[in-house]
Amino acid sequence: KGYLDHVPVNLVPDWEKDFLNFVHDQKSDLVDQIRSSSALSSELEETLVAALNEFNQAAKAQEAGAGVESTDN
């Protein structure tokens, strides 16, 4: 569905590690729901997609901020 289209292939393992940390730290309720569910309901999928989008937006903002900092030096 294209959630990682913006991530270079060689950086996917880093993205995965960072996303899992984000989910465990900030979306523990989602982790609990996934663990207790035997199937991915449409509601759970929506929650997961929202977490993906939130993480990707934050990562893009952080990358943009890092780019700004590097041009100021």
Side-chain angles (χ1 to χ4, degrees), residues 50-67:
L52 278 163
N53 289 331
E54 181 180 341
F55 176 78
N56 283 336
Q57 294 238 331
K60 286 179 186 177
Q62 188 175 26
E63 289 170 8

Side-chain angles (χ1 to χ4, degrees), residues 3-4 6 15 18-24 26-31 33-34 43-59:
Y3 299 114
L4 297 179
H6 66 283
W15 181 95
D18 293 342
F19 178 69
L20 289 174
N21 286 335
F22 166 79
V23 170
H24 285 283
Q26 297 185 30
K27 304 291 181 186
S28 60
D29 57 323
L30 175 59
V31 174
Q33 289 175 353
I34 290 171
E43 181 180 311
L44 187 53
E45 182 179 4
E46 287 176 19
T47 304
L48 181 58
V49 168
L52 278 163
N53 289 331
E54 181 180 341
F55 176 78
N56 283 336
Q57 294 238 331

